[in-house]
Amino acid sequence: MATTLTKAEDRAADTASHAARLRHVSKSFATPAGRQLVLDDISLDVAPGEFVTLLGASGCGKSTLLNLVAGLDKPSAGAIDTPGGRPALMFQEHALFPWLTAGRNIELALRLRGVERSARRPEAERLLELVRLGGAYGKRVHELSGGMRQRVALARALAQDSELLLMDEPFAALDAITRDVLHDELTRIWRETSVSVLFVTHNVREAVRLAQRVVLLSSRPGRIAREWTVDIEQPRRIEDADVAELSVEITEELRGEIRRHGRH
Amino acid sequence: MAGTETKAVTKTAKTPRPAKGDDLAGLEAGLDALDAVQVTRTPVREVLLRKVLPPVVAVALVLAVWQLLVSAQVTDAYKLPPPAAVWDSLRKMWLEGTLLEVLWTSVSRALLGFLMALAIGTPLGLLVARVRVVRAAIGPILSGLQSLPSVAWVPPAVLWLGLNDSMMFAVILLGAVPSIANGLVAGIDQVPPLFLRAGRTLGATGLRGARFVIMPAALPGYLAGLKQGWAFSWRSLMAAEIIASSPDLGLGLGQLLENGRNNIDMPGIFLAIILILVVGVAIDLLIFSPLERAVLRSRGLLVKS
Ligand SMILES: Nc1ncnc2c1ncn2[C@@H]1O[C@H](COP(=O)(O)OP(=O)(O)O)[C@@H](O)[C@H]1O
Ligand SMILES: [Mg+2]
């Protein structure tokens, strides 16, 4: 068993009933054509340790919503509460710093979090082990494959030891086999840590494969259209019959949402 | 906030892991092995053959053509000295012990001036890049200054500061600071916004953002600016040395050239020009190019042809 320093577990035990709480959140942008309402009255809780996927068509405001939760942007109305401090955020692009090795990328996150120098290296090595990249400490970003980069990016996000991990289509650019493996990895790591995950995707099967709860966003403006609780035992496979069955149901709903925009 | 102190916690899985997916590690190792990017370095022999041989041949050709022109007597002997005469001048300076002294006078001036330009240009570039008002105010002037030949600064510098080393440094600074600052501004402007967002989510904001994200991300552009800054330092200094000669100033390469003109010593003039060229190229080749290549290679930005 690994012994480690984590604040997240302390906090989870401590107080909050939620890792993230959104209340009546709206966001609009000023465009040449006037103000465009992108997110409308979103209310959503992510419980501590919960895995929620946010599903929606391209352009429906998923990234916008994650940016709000991450604190990179401010909502036009409503309130967002993340009691566990600044959430970690993973992007579709790995966003690793090419001037640092894989290990140093993780150590930078530790350093910015205030971990003292002597503890950084062992903790970075532990996190690399966690994503099964034990030998990659000294590797440069350009020496890693796409899947390995996303795993280092995941390790760096975990290094923030935030209670909440936000993921913005992190596997969308990977090939199917690698993506499948990373789904298994993410599920394993989520279960080994107490992190709560808010995972954004436009891929229905991915959403069902990973989540305890799937939240469907409508488009223009983005509203919560429907929610599903996924009662399928983990680890799941993307080709499992019950995953497929629920995916068909959700896809129908998603198509209905998209079709509404074709009328009038 | 609760739990800001850290403590050791033993990690446990929330539920026991089923056996399913146990071969995941093996699958992953296989994918990594298939996918990993191979990075190889060119062997030394090939570098010598492809990078060193061509310029050596080119120099040999120039010397051959030069000798041919002299032998064919295309012009008066005092206008075009043979390579051997230039070589003799060099030998003479070496034997008199003045060669290294002259080189050192100029090189030390230029490097010192360059370091000062570095110390001024770097914070200036950072300010212009990050503070909107400053950019609006002096950004265009800074880019404009780059196209002003630094020799134009010699007359005012002589009047302001007199015929001394300070005047030389002033000319170097006016030539090199804009290049260095502009290089840094360009480097910072090219930092991908994704890095800035990633930095912010990691907690690198404000000065920590500049230190851990913006400066390292801008390093390639900054180095390109330094390279150009060195070229400008060297050119500015030569302009200053040629125009402003005074016995108090010590003999540098520029004065060597000017003395050659006064004494109608064509081999001496050729020698001075060649030395100025060689020093400029050598510093670039020995310091800036390796630095730039090392940085680009470590980031996987060096494209092999
Ligand atoms: N900074 C911005 N200014 C104006 N419009 C924006 C901005 N950011 C996003 N949008 C708009 O908001 C909508 C949702 O974008 P986004 O959140 O990226 O969608 P998704 O991630 O679901 O594909 C898009 O129509 C986009 O044009
Ligand atoms: Mg998006």
Side-chain angles (χ1 to χ4, degrees):
Chain A
M1 273 286 126
T3 306
T4 175
L5 308 156
T6 91
K7 287 187 280 186
E9 281 165 333
D10 280 3
R11 284 192 304 259
D14 246 17
T15 46
S17 60
H18 54 270
R21 168 162 289 172
L22 286 73
R23 283 294 172 265
H24 309 294
V25 169
S26 298
K27 179 73 187 174
S28 55
F29 290 108
T31 62
R35 286 201 83 77
Q36 184 200 357
L37 185 63
V38 173
L39 293 171
D40 185 25
D41 195 26
I42 306 271
S43 292
L44 176 71
D45 273 13
V46 178
E50 194 183 17
F51 198 126
V52 177
T53 51
L54 202 61
L55 182 68
S58 284
C60 76
K62 303 182 295 294
S63 298
T64 305
L65 186 62
L66 275 201
N67 281 339
L68 294 179
V69 179
L72 292 177
D73 205 354
K74 295 229 174 323
S76 312
I80 297 175
D81 179 33
T82 50
R86 189 181 51 240
L89 174 58
M90 228 184 116
F91 308 89
Q92 179 173 335
E93 306 85 8
H94 55 80
L96 295 171
F97 299 137
W99 57 91
L100 298 172
T101 60
R104 293 273 175 193
N105 263 284
I106 297 170
E107 283 179 18
L108 177 59
L110 295 170
R111 176 174 190 174
L112 290 167
R113 184 187 114 199
V115 174
E116 62 180 271
R117 180 190 288 268
S118 60
R120 283 181 216 147
R121 172 100 198 220
E123 179 65 358
E125 307 252 14
R126 186 190 71 81
L127 286 162
L128 281 171
E129 282 306 331
L130 184 66
V131 296
R132 293 204 234 254
L133 279 173
Y137 182 91
K139 285 261 172 19
R140 292 281 175 172
V141 175
H142 67 274
E143 297 173 294
L144 303 171
S145 69
M148 292 158 94
R149 288 175 197 174
Q150 283 309 58
R151 273 143 70 203
V152 176
L154 176 59
R156 185 176 74 173
L158 293 171
Q160 280 183 257
D161 194 32
S162 175
E163 199 185 313
L164 178 62
L165 174 58
L166 306 172
M167 305 180 85
D168 193 355
E169 311 202 31
F171 307 142
L174 301 175
D175 65 272
I177 298 174
T178 306
R179 191 187 310 145
D180 211 31
V181 169
L182 286 190
H183 286 157
D184 293 349
E185 279 300 356
L186 179 58
T187 302
R188 176 182 67 81
I189 288 164
W190 164 64
R191 283 151 49 113
E192 281 180 15
T193 61
S194 62
V195 71
S196 328
V197 183
L198 183 55
F199 186 107
V200 154
T201 180
H202 60 255
N203 180 331
V204 180
R205 286 216 176 193
E206 178 170 76
V208 176
R209 157 71 187 82
L210 292 169
Q212 293 175 302
R213 194 149 58 94
V214 177
V215 176
L216 179 65
L217 273 190
S218 65
S219 300
R220 264 180 245 166
R223 293 197 181 103
I224 293 184
R226 230 187 114 176
E227 280 190 29
W228 290 264
T229 305
V230 187
D231 279 325
I232 307 168
E233 202 199 330
Q234 289 279 16
R236 307 164 190 155
R237 305 235 66 118
I238 207 150
E239 60 273 7
D240 283 347
D242 18 13
V243 171
E245 195 182 331
L246 183 55
S247 299
V248 169
E249 183 189 328
I250 297 178
T251 303
E252 264 320 303
E253 192 84 18
L254 177 60
R255 288 186 172 178
E257 279 299 328
I258 294 170
R259 227 175 268 128
R260 285 195 308 114
H261 294 277
R263 294 185 208 131
H264 53 239
Chain B
M1 198 173 70
T4 35
E5 81 277 25
T6 54
K7 73 167 194 194
V9 178
T10 306
K11 290 216 157 196
T12 46
K14 286 193 302 192
T15 48
R17 268 176 74 202
K20 194 177 167 187
D22 263 1
D23 58 352
L24 185 58
L27 181 59
E28 211 159 0
L31 273 178
D32 292 350
L34 287 174
D35 244 4
V37 183
Q38 296 298 324
V39 179
T40 52
R41 291 192 59 169
T42 343
V44 177
R45 252 197 63 167
E46 208 182 312
V47 171
L48 284 179
L49 210 68
R50 284 190 4 203
K51 294 271 161 66
V52 179
L53 196 61
V56 169
V57 171
V59 169
L61 269 175
V62 168
L63 283 174
V65 171
W66 179 3
Q67 183 59 55
L68 264 175
L69 289 176
V70 172
S71 308
Q73 290 182 324
V74 287
T75 179
D76 302 331
Y78 80 92
K79 285 188 187 162
L80 186 68
V86 176
W87 175 253
D88 283 342
S89 293
L90 180 71
R91 255 177 53 103
K92 198 169 128 241
M93 278 187 75
W94 172 257
L95 292 175
E96 283 170 357
T98 48
L99 180 63
L100 290 181
E101 204 180 305
V102 170
L103 283 174
W104 179 243
T105 302
S106 289
V107 170
S108 60
R109 258 182 207 152
L111 285 181
L112 197 63
F114 174 76
L115 288 180
M116 291 195 273
L118 189 71
I120 298 173
T122 305
L124 186 64
L126 205 55
L127 268 179
V128 171
R130 301 299 294 173
V131 183
R132 205 167 296 163
V133 202
V134 179
R135 174 179 293 222
I138 62 171
I141 302 174
L142 217 51
S143 337
L145 275 180
Q146 266 190 295
S147 51
L148 181 75
S150 42
V151 65
W153 291 113
V154 178
V158 169
L159 291 183
W160 287 329
L161 298 163
L163 280 172
N164 50 35
D165 272 347
S166 316
M167 161 259 159
M168 302 264 180
F169 290 132
V171 175
I172 293 178
L173 288 181
L174 287 163
V177 166
S179 298
I180 295 175
N182 277 320
L184 184 55
V185 171
I188 291 177
D189 286 350
Q190 282 160 19
V191 174
L194 181 65
F195 287 165
L196 301 179
R197 294 211 297 150
R200 277 173 65 196
T201 57
L202 292 174
T205 49
L207 275 182
R208 301 211 295 176
R211 173 165 169 214
F212 292 117
V213 181
I214 295 171
M215 287 300 284
L219 190 59
Y222 182 52
L223 280 182
L226 291 193
K227 229 172 117 141
Q228 208 191 24
W230 162 253
F232 274 66
S233 297
W234 189 237
R235 272 192 230 175
S236 313
L237 177 66
M238 288 307 111
E241 284 188 354
I242 290 170
I243 295 182
S245 45
S246 140
D248 313 338
L249 274 173
L251 188 66
L253 283 172
Q255 282 103 339
L256 188 70
L257 186 58
E258 183 61 10
N259 289 351
R261 188 178 73 88
N262 290 332
N263 303 334
I264 320 182
D265 168 20
M266 210 54 185
I269 290 179
F270 266 61
L271 177 63
I273 291 178
I274 292 172
L275 286 177
I276 292 171
L277 189 68
V278 166
V279 169
V281 172
I283 300 273
D284 184 67
L285 232 51
L286 292 177
I287 301 178
F288 294 103
S289 290
L291 212 59
E292 200 176 21
R293 290 175 60 83
V295 165
L296 292 182
R297 179 180 295 120
S298 75
R299 297 174 185 214
L301 293 174
L302 206 60
V303 199
K304 284 232 177 81
S305 49

